[in-house]
Amino acid sequence: MDKKRKNTEKVNKETTPASPYRNVDNVKRHGNAEKTRYGTRPVIRHDERDEKKVLKFSATYTEADKNRNIEKERKRERLRKQRLNAGIGIAIAIILAIVLMFMTPIFNITEIRLNGNDTVSKEVINEHIGDLIGSNLFGTSISKIEQKMTALPQIREVKVKKAIFPARLEIEITESQPAAYLLIGNDTLIIDSDLRIIDDTSVFDSGKLPCISGVSVSGYELNSKLEIKSDEKEKALEVMLKSLESCGLVEAVKYISIDDLTAITFNYDNRIDVVCGSQLQIDRKIRMFAESIRTSTFDENSIGSVDLSVPGTAVYNP
């Protein structure tokens, strides 16, 4: 039986093809080398590689490298201390600046300058924003001042700026532009071209504005849009007021009648009655009239009527 096994192993060895790859079964290690049927070659093990790397690193790490690393660490520590000191210095400076701005009388408001308030008096404005003289400039809220001032319907827009030397407020005011007025009972309501009610106490001079007739109002509130019962009349009136304003005719027009939406009329300078007809192309009609009165056909003594009821035509009847 043993003899047969030996013969079989011998046959296997002779018939097994030669492999170019290392076969573990055919390798015998002797020290730092491997022996195979095809020769002997050195083998570098992983543990030997790591040991060589450590030896190489240790051999190249000199005293100069050590000193350089120590110096780098010292620089990092110095920079860290410098940053810390700088942060502390900035914090102290901010605290001192806050104390100086809010706690000393140097920055107390000594003056309030108003610009653009041709109609709204300084006294009315002071009532709304309060007495700010003596208040700290930096503790005063610009947004709150603007909010309080625009609550006045006569003021359209406000811009507030702070000035330091001397400490003061500079307030730029854009007033609302009146476009017409209408009578509701005993009240005279003045509106702008957006139909916003901007006055009911005669702050603005209604004598320089056209009077509106032919509208029914369901309600009104200062600084809010006029509530007209008829949507068609509301739209026609708004377009007319915007057109008269853009053409510079507001102060010259004496009344606007929209009693009948098919026969809208207005009077110019108590001399010329203007018939617009329906609200169709009302903006174009008013612009045509504005161009017509600037021609040689009209002068300051012209009296009569102008028919604009047909879009694109203006017929003057002396």
Side-chain angles (χ1 to χ4, degrees):
M1 186 71 174
D2 294 337
K3 187 176 182 180
K4 186 176 180 179
R5 185 181 299 167
K6 287 180 182 179
N7 293 334
T8 305
E9 290 177 357
K10 185 177 180 182
V11 171
N12 289 339
K13 286 182 181 180
E14 291 176 354
T15 58
T16 301
S19 173
Y21 302 100
R22 294 188 324 183
N23 191 329
V24 177
D25 296 332
N26 296 330
V27 176
K28 294 182 180 180
R29 289 188 175 88
H30 296 279
N32 294 331
E34 290 182 351
K35 289 185 178 181
T36 66
R37 291 187 304 165
Y38 309 107
T40 302
R41 60 189 175 95
V43 175
I44 299 176
R45 299 179 181 176
H46 292 292
D47 54 349
E48 292 177 355
R49 290 176 187 168
D50 295 340
E51 185 179 354
K52 285 185 178 181
K53 286 182 181 179
V54 173
L55 291 174
K56 184 178 180 181
F57 176 76
S58 301
T60 57
Y61 188 75
T62 64
E63 188 68 23
D65 295 328
K66 180 180 179 182
N67 293 334
R68 278 194 295 270
N69 290 336
I70 293 172
E71 185 62 27
K72 286 181 181 180
E73 188 62 30
R74 288 175 180 172
K75 286 183 178 179
R76 291 193 194 98
E77 185 64 20
R78 284 198 298 269
L79 287 174
R80 188 185 68 80
K81 290 181 178 180
Q82 289 174 359
R83 293 192 186 100
L84 180 61
N85 293 334
I88 294 172
I90 292 172
I92 293 172
I94 292 173
I95 293 171
L96 292 176
I98 292 173
V99 171
L100 181 64
M101 288 190 299
F102 291 94
M103 305 300 291
T104 62
I106 299 174
F107 296 109
N108 288 349
I109 297 172
T110 59
E111 183 185 4
I112 297 175
R113 296 181 182 179
L114 300 175
N115 186 30
N117 58 317
D118 299 326
T119 303
V120 185
S121 66
K122 185 176 181 180
E123 290 73 22
V124 172
I125 292 173
N126 287 336
E127 287 179 5
H128 276 74
I129 66 176
D131 187 10
L132 298 176
I133 300 298
S135 302
N136 182 267
L137 180 68
F138 297 101
T140 303
S141 173
I142 288 178
S143 60
K144 287 184 178 180
I145 295 174
E146 293 176 345
Q147 185 177 3
K148 288 179 179 179
M149 291 188 66
T150 50
L152 284 167
Q154 296 87 9
I155 295 178
R156 187 75 175 184
E157 185 179 1
V158 176
K159 292 182 179 179
V160 181
K161 293 182 180 179
K162 294 179 180 180
I164 298 177
F165 297 109
R168 65 185 185 275
L169 293 175
E170 296 180 353
I171 303 177
E172 188 71 28
I173 298 170
T174 302
E175 293 185 337
S176 302
Q177 295 299 314
Y181 75 94
L182 66 160
L183 301 174
I184 305 295
N186 296 325
D187 296 330
T188 300
L189 304 183
I190 295 178
I191 61 176
D192 63 10
S193 58
D194 294 321
L195 306 186
R196 184 174 64 95
I197 303 171
I198 61 175
D199 185 27
D200 64 350
T201 57
S202 301
V203 174
F204 293 104
D205 185 6
S206 60
K208 296 180 180 180
L209 301 172
C211 178
I212 300 170
S213 66
V215 295
S216 297
V217 178
S218 58
Y220 67 90
E221 183 180 352
L222 271 174
N223 224 1
S224 299
K225 191 171 183 178
L226 187 68
E227 297 178 14
I228 298 176
K229 292 181 178 179
S230 171
D231 292 339
E232 290 184 350
K233 287 188 176 183
E234 179 180 313
K235 185 176 180 180
L237 179 60
E238 187 172 356
V239 172
M240 284 191 72
L241 293 181
K242 287 185 180 297
S243 299
L244 292 172
E245 187 177 64
S246 64
C247 294
L249 300 177
V250 170
E251 293 189 359
V253 174
K254 300 306 176 183
Y255 72 81
I256 298 172
S257 173
I258 54 174
D259 294 87
D260 185 355
L261 282 176
T262 62
I264 299 173
T265 61
F266 66 87
N267 178 271
Y268 176 78
D269 199 25
N270 285 329
R271 298 182 292 112
I272 301 175
D273 292 322
V274 183
V275 180
C276 298
S278 69
Q279 72 268 36
L280 181 66
Q281 298 185 15
I282 190 73
D283 175 69
R284 182 183 177 188
K285 294 172 182 177
I286 292 174
R287 292 182 183 278
M288 178 171 288
F289 172 75
E291 293 174 1
S292 299
I293 60 174
R294 295 186 178 97
T295 63
S296 58
T297 305
F298 294 88
D299 57 31
E300 59 183 10
N301 297 317
S302 297
I303 299 175
S305 65
V306 175
D307 188 354
L308 302 171
S309 59
V310 179
T313 63
V315 180
Y316 172 54
N317 297 308

